[in-house]
């Protein structure tokens, strides 16, 4: 417990160069750390001191400094540290680091993730967040009471996993994107997805990369793992919707 607590609440400088060289990001990181309730955080660290081996890997999220740093950088890349208030649907929110930072900057964030992961729920509560508990499944629409989102985000995406050895293909992604456009996004809203590595699978399959590019996405990041769709519309999806080589 002490190693995580020391890194965020003492003067040890553990910020990355990416933060140190960017005043806006440094200010955001300091703001995020200062807003954390130290007593509640200490209690969470103590709670997870004696996890079983299978659960131990999730204690990495107690390193708030590392995950706040990463998500401050992501919020900045998306223009959320110095832009107008946005309404955001965050899919696969995990512990809520991204949503927490966005909330500090006046954005309204609706979180969605799977139930049953206690450390996620505890850190979300630490941040004052709530979430809708729901799985995202292929070819099934998401059931949410809200709409009118300016942006849909998915950071470290794994919800596209189908079993242990497959991921969504272009058909599943077109269905998912159509659901976001029809039911949740404002006209010409934005979708940003950053994929998480699955064993023995590429971050984004070649057929998916081609489909995303046909739909107007910017593909960036290490191993082409970030997909950014600006001004997304049904028309842009349908433009190439009958391409049998892709779909």
């Amino acid at each position: 417990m002490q190693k995580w607590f020391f890194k965020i609440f003492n003067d040890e400088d553990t910020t990355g160069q990416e933060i140190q060289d960017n005043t806006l990001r440094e200010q955001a990181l300091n703001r995020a750390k200062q807003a954390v309730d130290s007593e509640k955080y200490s209690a969470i660290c103590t709670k997870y001191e004696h996890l079983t081996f299978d659960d131990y890997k999730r204690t990495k999220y107690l390193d708030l400094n590392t995950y706040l740093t990463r998500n401050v950088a992501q919020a900045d890349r998306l223009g959320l540290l110095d832009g107008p208030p946005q309404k955001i649907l965050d899919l696969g929110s995990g512990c809520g680091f991204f949503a927490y930072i966005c909330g500090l900057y006046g954005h309204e964030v609706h979180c969605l993730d799977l139930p049953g992961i206690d450390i996620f729920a505890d850190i979300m509560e630490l941040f004052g967040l709530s979430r809708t508990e729901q799985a995202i499944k292929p070819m099934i629409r998401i059931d949410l009471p809200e709409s009118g989102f300016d942006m849909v985000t998915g950071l470290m995406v794994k919800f596209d996993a189908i079993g242990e050895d497959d991921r969504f293909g272009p058909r599943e992604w077109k269905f998912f994107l159509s659901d976001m456009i029809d039911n949740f996004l404002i006209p010409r809203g934005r979708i940003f997805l950053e994929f998480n590595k699955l064993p023995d699978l590429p971050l984004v399959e070649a057929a998916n990369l081609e489909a995303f590019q046909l739909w107007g996405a910017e593909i960036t990041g290490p191993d082409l793992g970030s997909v950014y769709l600006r001004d997304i519309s049904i028309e842009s999806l349908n433009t190439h919707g009958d391409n049998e080589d892709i779909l």
Side-chain angles (χ1 to χ4, degrees):
M1 183 270 284
Q2 293 299 324
K3 64 177 180 179
W4 304 134
F5 191 84
F6 181 81
K7 286 173 71 174
I8 189 168
F9 288 109
N10 290 275
D11 293 330
E12 178 186 4
D13 185 5
T14 58
T15 59
Q17 195 69 27
E18 186 176 23
I19 292 290
Q20 293 180 35
D21 290 345
N22 186 305
T23 301
L24 183 63
R25 294 183 185 185
E26 186 175 4
Q27 290 173 344
L29 179 60
N30 290 335
R31 181 176 178 180
K33 290 163 66 173
Q34 290 167 6
V36 173
D37 185 312
S38 61
E39 290 186 5
K40 291 181 179 179
Y41 174 54
S42 177
I44 292 171
C45 291
T46 300
K47 177 179 178 179
Y48 292 101
E49 278 185 324
H50 304 294
L51 288 179
T52 64
F53 177 77
D54 287 342
D55 290 329
Y56 180 76
K57 61 183 180 181
R58 291 192 176 123
T59 63
K60 65 184 180 182
Y61 297 114
L62 296 175
D63 181 3
L64 299 193
N65 193 82
T66 292
Y67 287 94
L68 288 174
T69 297
R70 291 181 184 178
N71 284 274
V72 161
Q74 193 62 272
D76 185 32
R77 292 187 193 104
L78 294 173
L80 298 171
L81 297 184
D82 57 358
Q86 301 278 292
K87 186 176 180 181
I88 302 167
L89 174 58
D90 187 47
L91 304 176
S93 298
C95 297
F97 295 105
F98 179 73
Y100 168 62
I101 291 160
C102 290
L104 291 176
Y105 281 82
H107 306 293
E108 178 186 347
V109 186
H110 189 119
C111 300
L112 184 145
D113 209 336
L114 293 169
I117 303 177
D118 289 345
I119 196 169
F120 287 4
D122 287 344
I123 295 178
M124 273 205 154
E125 184 178 352
L126 173 71
F127 291 153
L129 301 171
S130 60
R131 66 181 180 182
T132 296
E133 295 186 339
Q134 185 177 155
I136 299 173
K137 298 181 179 180
M139 311 302 285
I140 297 177
R141 295 192 182 279
I142 294 173
D143 182 19
L144 285 179
E146 292 188 50
S147 60
F149 293 97
D150 299 286
M151 178 186 295
V152 173
T153 55
L155 307 182
M156 303 303 288
V157 166
K158 281 189 175 181
F159 65 73
D160 64 321
I162 303 174
E164 296 183 357
D165 57 0
D166 202 4
R167 304 187 85 146
F168 281 14
R171 290 185 185 278
E172 289 80 13
W173 277 116
K174 184 177 181 183
F175 181 93
F176 168 82
L177 295 173
S178 297
D179 185 26
M180 296 297 101
I181 296 165
D182 286 339
N183 299 306
F184 301 108
L185 279 172
I186 63 169
R188 301 290 177 177
R190 298 186 285 166
I191 298 177
F192 180 81
L193 303 170
E194 185 176 67
F195 289 86
N196 203 349
K197 180 68 175 174
L198 294 178
D200 303 319
L201 291 173
L203 281 177
V204 184
E205 298 281 356
N208 289 336
L209 276 177
E210 188 170 352
F212 284 132
Q213 288 171 332
L214 286 172
W215 296 329
E218 301 170 24
I219 313 292
T220 60
D223 300 318
L224 301 177
S226 298
V227 175
Y228 194 8
L229 292 137
R230 305 172 189 260
D231 301 323
I232 184 74
S233 67
I234 287 294
E235 290 75 20
S236 63
L237 291 184
N238 289 338
T239 298
H240 302 283
D242 297 325
N243 186 337
E244 293 300 327
D245 292 334
I246 302 299
L247 302 177

